[in-house]
Amino acid sequence: MLRDQFPGLNVTVHGKPLVYLDNAATACRPQRVLDAVQEYYTRFNANIHRGVHTLSEIATERFEGARESMARLINAPSARQLVFTRGSTESINLVANTFARERLSAGDEILISYMEHHSNIVPWQLLCQQTGAVLKVIPMNERGELRLETLDELITERTKMLAVVHVSNSLGTINPVKEIIAKAHAREVPVLVDGAQALPHMAVDVQDLDCDFYTISGHKMYGPTGIGILYGKMEHLEAMPPWQGGGEMIAKVTFERTVFNHVPAKFEAGTPNIAGGIGLGAAAEFIMDVGMDKIQARDAELLAYATEKMQAIDGLRLIGTAACKTAVNSFVIDGVHPHDLGTVLDHYGIAIRTGHHCTMPALQFFKVPGTARASFAFYNTHEEIDYFVDCVQKAREMFT
Ligand code: PMP
């Protein structure tokens, strides 16, 4: 069984077997990822790139091999177009502070959407404050779908960047990013896609999407924490100035001037998260071995099952009911505070997320300060969903 490969699922909480439904916050890791990380620290513990000794060569080979695995997973033309970062947050900040900053003057516009995670809002706001650019927002409807008919008007000759989430972490909406990118490109606007929540659930092909930038969070796609990817088109990466200075990102340094290294080293100053990178490569290989079509099918099936069961609970309102969704169900229940619900469920061994999920504007749109969120992964089971629904019922009766 695939599930047996995830030791993190096999624990008890308050004496109950864990039911882990907080996958959108961070996924569980398969043994293969844990082994890859452990193997690095125990069998070829060394710094990478600069060493001539055997262990350094092995570590470098594994780290660069991981880049290759990730490139295959997202069908990038070359692994050189993948920059290792700490995750989606750092990837977005990198693009905002290099590519976008160079293109912006006062009065220019950056377009994002109503359902963005704070990490795809705040970096752009900071940039606007520093450059005098203006942040504009694509609206959404009451199902949590972007109102794309507004795009033609929202994109103007001042629009210099569009940044949009592929899959919403709080609503579950899968945005039609290929269509958005085509519309933006028709007006010569480059597009960054925040893919943090996409890869754990669906196939991503950056060449088919034709995105200018795509961001990935390792910890959401069954990899380690503190590691992620920024994919970029080569012409952008080559033209972009470096972001952080330090070792590794240089070709030559004198006190007078520095010649920068080639892409992607230009953006990877300092010793990277070597173990994390190697673990991420193992996660990519794991996903490819399981098969994205299998993961996607299981995801759709779990979502349909959970949605039907949850909708039968009295007073429960789903927040985010897009026609195209991943297995994320945010909800509120009349008379029950999400935090209280989360605390009661924890005592039954169930982990869910409660609060604003770092998407305060999206929740303000639905006029709720927070929700409870159950987010599923392919290793979750129908029995777990049944148990979760029973416990939600019990908690509701307790509070109402
Ligand atoms: N965007 C979305 C949609 C997310 O769900 C998250 C993580 N919750 C992020 C960005 C931030 O990603 P990271 O944790 O890799 O910085």
Side-chain angles (χ1 to χ4, degrees):
M1 268 254 290
L2 263 183
R3 185 184 166 94
D4 298 335
Q5 296 179 31
F6 290 78
L9 295 172
N10 195 17
V11 297
T12 54
V13 174
H14 297 298
K16 310 272 185 339
L18 169 70
V19 173
Y20 190 71
L21 303 181
D22 196 17
N23 293 285
T26 199
C28 219
R29 285 95 202 158
Q31 188 63 48
R32 186 158 161 187
V33 168
L34 307 178
D35 288 346
V37 171
Q38 165 104 347
E39 196 189 16
Y40 163 67
Y41 283 124
T42 51
R43 308 233 346 246
F44 45 92
N45 180 69
N47 209 330
I48 54 170
H49 292 148
R50 290 172 294 273
V52 291
H53 63 84
T54 303
L55 295 187
S56 175
E57 278 173 5
I58 299 173
T60 303
E61 208 175 275
R62 296 293 174 95
F63 187 74
E64 290 307 323
R67 202 190 302 270
E68 300 275 349
S69 298
M70 284 301 296
R72 267 193 294 121
L73 182 67
I74 61 170
N75 192 32
S78 150
R80 288 185 55 221
Q81 291 169 251
L82 275 69
V83 178
F84 277 114
T85 62
R86 279 194 295 123
S88 287
T89 304
E90 191 171 65
S91 299
I92 296 166
N93 277 278
L94 197 167
V95 175
N97 285 295
T98 55
F99 179 81
R101 182 185 290 279
E102 284 217 311
R103 297 167 65 90
L104 286 176
S105 312
D108 283 342
E109 294 163 1
I110 299 168
L111 192 52
I112 61 171
S113 91
Y114 221 114
M115 66 177 77
E116 297 309 316
H117 188 278
H118 297 161
S119 60
N120 204 23
I121 301 175
V122 184
W124 306 113
Q125 268 174 346
L126 290 171
L127 193 58
C128 286
Q129 281 164 15
Q130 292 154 5
T131 60
V134 180
L135 195 65
K136 290 173 75 181
V137 182
I138 307 168
M140 63 180 174
N141 65 24
E142 68 292 345
R143 290 188 300 279
E145 293 162 332
L146 291 182
R147 290 179 43 208
L148 294 187
E149 74 279 6
T150 62
L151 254 193
D152 286 340
E153 216 166 284
L154 279 170
I155 298 177
T156 72
E157 67 285 354
R158 302 296 314 250
T159 313
K160 293 290 157 62
M161 187 84 213
L162 194 160
V164 66
V165 70
H166 198 166
V167 174
S168 159
N169 64 308
S170 56
L171 308 175
T173 313
I174 302 175
N175 286 315
V177 285
K178 190 172 172 181
E179 188 186 330
I180 295 172
I181 292 163
K183 282 194 180 211
H185 282 177
R187 309 278 291 273
E188 290 178 7
V189 175
V191 181
L192 173 141
V193 179
D194 169 0
Q197 295 287 343
L199 270 181
H201 300 286
M202 58 196 279
V204 171
D205 181 333
V206 289
Q207 293 190 70
D208 180 53
L209 292 177
D210 196 30
C211 50
D212 296 274
F213 298 99
Y214 197 94
T215 74
I216 295 168
S217 304
H219 70 106
K220 314 268 191 204
M221 51 162 280
Y222 320 109
T225 56
I227 190 77
I229 293 284
L230 170 67
Y231 159 83
K233 284 191 173 167
M234 193 49 116
E235 71 257 32
H236 296 328
L237 295 174
E238 278 181 338
M240 277 153 62
W243 184 34
Q244 294 175 331
E248 194 60 31
M249 51 78 73
I250 54 87
K252 183 167 185 229
V253 178
T254 62
F255 283 122
E256 288 69 40
R257 71 185 279 263
T258 291
V259 179
F260 302 124
N261 210 336
H262 55 73
V263 172
K266 183 169 77 172
F267 301 107
E268 295 179 351
T271 300
N273 180 355
I274 303 169
I278 291 171
L280 183 60
E285 291 296 333
F286 172 82
I287 290 176
M288 288 186 280
D289 283 354
V290 173
M292 243 334 166
D293 40 350
K294 203 165 153 190
I295 290 176
Q296 245 163 302
R298 176 76 178 155
D299 200 69
E301 192 241 319
L302 286 175
L303 177 66
Y305 187 78
T307 304
E308 195 190 327
K309 294 260 164 182
M310 289 170 72
Q311 273 170 337
I313 298 174
D314 264 355
L316 183 144
R317 175 161 73 107
L318 283 177
I319 304 291
T321 50
C324 199
K325 261 188 87 170
T326 54
V328 170
N329 271 345
S330 265
F331 62 100
V332 289
I333 299 181
D334 292 341
V336 186
H337 193 284
H339 288 322
D340 292 338
L341 178 65
T343 307
V344 171
L345 292 184
D346 178 54
H347 279 86
Y348 288 112
I350 301 170
I352 59 158
R353 199 68 157 186
T354 59
H356 53 65
H357 318 296
C358 298
T359 56
M360 282 190 190
L363 295 198
Q364 278 153 15
F365 174 85
F366 287 99
K367 301 193 171 44
V368 291
T371 69
R373 181 188 69 186
S375 52
F376 308 95
F378 61 86
Y379 41 63
N380 288 125
T381 64
H382 287 198
E383 292 70 36
E384 286 181 315
I385 293 172
D386 291 342
Y387 177 66
F388 158 69
V389 168
D390 278 354
C391 293
V392 173
Q393 290 275 25
K394 281 189 200 145
R396 197 188 72 80
E397 281 155 23
M398 218 180 267
F399 289 109
T400 55

